[in-house]
Amino acid sequence: MDIEVLGGLSVRMNGVSITPTAPKPRRVLALLALHVDQVVPVAVIIEELWGAAPPRSARTTLQTYILQLRELITEALAHGEDEGCTAKDVLATLPGGYRLEAGGGTLDFREFERRAAAGYRAMAAGDYAGASRRLSDALSLWTGAALADVQPGVRIATEAKRLEEARLCALDQRIEADLHLGRHRELLPELTVLVSRHPTHESLQGQFMLALHRSGRRGEALDAYQRLRATLVSELGLEPAAALVRLQRSILMANTGAQPVHPAVAGRQFAEAG
């Protein structure tokens, strides 16, 4: 079984899609896929579908959705060679809930975690070229927002947010590695878009300031700091982190002949502050 959630939902067996088009069966499959090889309690699925006030027919309706998924699985199994496997083996009923069995195949969210972890290890070892390469490889698995085509309930929304945070963390560290490698000018187009999307994300804003400064655009770097500070104060009632203040002072001092902070040092300071 091949499962993709880093973008639209796609679940395939033997090359055949078992992803339903109807919103609620699709949501059931998404929840089971996020917890593949684990039992998902009936109560959890019902809460995901109907919230805190499910209809009296909730369990019966859920059973109908499970039946619909098993029909899709049966069609996909017909294209395989394992004649002894049934839809109930793939989507199993267990005491209290249901379990989707991966049975091998690819799970893009777990592969992302594996590749990102390799990137973080390279980063910690000071192998910035390796970190940039491995984190870029991890990020290449994303084709859009997590479960972008699923109407989420509370639990799927929480899982999607967790995945998006993991994506942002990997992106932040990949940019940090590229800064260590002196790729400041190359990063500016990407960072310009990112700081617009994440106006209060201090790490990205600091990386943008550093890339601007090291590209000879000191005034724009200082303007970026002032915009961030105004946004943080007005929206969150917070001042910028200490690492950002140090970076701003370093950029200011660079015009007076003082030794500016090396990008690698500024990057470490910023990472430690986060």
Side-chain angles (χ1 to χ4, degrees):
M1 181 179 294
D2 299 321
I3 296 175
E4 297 177 0
V5 300
L6 305 181
L9 174 66
S10 173
V11 183
R12 304 180 71 85
M13 292 186 63
N14 300 323
V16 178
S17 174
I18 63 167
T19 311
T21 56
K24 285 190 174 177
R26 192 179 189 89
R27 199 185 305 177
V28 173
L29 181 60
L31 188 62
L32 293 169
L34 286 167
H35 300 281
V36 66
D37 296 326
Q38 303 173 38
V39 177
V40 181
V42 168
V44 168
I45 303 175
I46 287 175
E47 181 189 29
E48 172 64 26
L49 292 174
W50 292 287
R56 291 183 179 179
S57 61
R59 285 181 176 268
T60 302
T61 304
L62 174 57
Q63 290 170 356
T64 300
Y65 296 155
I66 295 295
L67 178 61
Q68 292 172 4
L69 291 173
R70 284 176 174 157
E71 289 173 350
L72 291 169
I73 292 169
T74 297
E75 292 177 13
L77 287 172
H79 290 77
E81 299 179 354
D82 189 354
E83 297 181 359
C85 183
T86 70
K88 288 187 177 181
D89 295 321
V90 177
L91 177 47
T93 301
L94 293 129
Y98 298 98
R99 182 173 66 204
L100 186 67
E101 303 281 354
T106 60
L107 311 175
D108 66 348
F109 58 103
R110 291 186 181 167
E111 179 63 15
F112 167 75
E113 292 169 354
R114 186 189 68 79
R115 296 184 190 182
Y120 296 145
R121 289 193 296 271
M123 194 77 177
D127 177 10
Y128 302 120
S132 176
R133 184 174 61 255
R134 289 177 172 85
L135 289 167
S136 294
D137 192 34
L139 291 163
S140 71
L141 294 169
W142 288 76
T143 60
L147 294 167
D149 56 359
V150 175
Q151 297 176 9
V154 173
R155 291 182 180 270
I156 289 179
T158 299
E159 284 297 310
K161 183 176 181 180
R162 180 187 66 80
L163 289 168
E164 290 291 344
E165 287 294 332
R167 178 190 194 182
L168 194 57
C169 182
L171 180 60
D172 173 87
Q173 286 299 286
R174 197 226 79 218
I175 292 171
E176 193 69 28
D178 285 341
L179 285 171
H180 279 280
L181 295 169
R183 297 171 179 168
H184 306 97
R185 287 183 175 84
E186 297 94 321
L187 286 169
L188 281 174
E190 180 182 16
L191 280 168
T192 299
V193 173
L194 288 171
V195 297
S196 176
R197 290 178 181 171
H198 306 281
T200 61
H201 194 291
E202 293 181 271
S203 182
L204 290 174
Q205 297 285 343
Q207 291 167 338
F208 184 48
M209 289 170 57
L210 191 58
L212 284 168
H213 174 54
R214 289 292 167 172
S215 299
R217 296 161 66 175
R218 190 180 74 95
E220 292 175 68
L222 294 172
D223 287 345
Y225 175 83
Q226 293 301 332
R227 286 196 301 272
L228 171 63
R229 182 179 182 276
T231 301
L232 288 173
V233 170
S234 64
E235 294 188 9
L236 303 176
L238 297 173
E239 290 287 340
L244 266 174
V245 176
R246 288 195 295 270
L247 178 57
Q248 184 224 20
R249 289 175 180 169
S250 175
I251 294 170
L252 285 168
M253 292 173 64
N255 199 44
T256 68
Q259 181 66 32
V261 174
H262 189 277
V265 175
R268 284 199 299 274
Q269 289 175 342
F270 208 82
E272 289 165 4

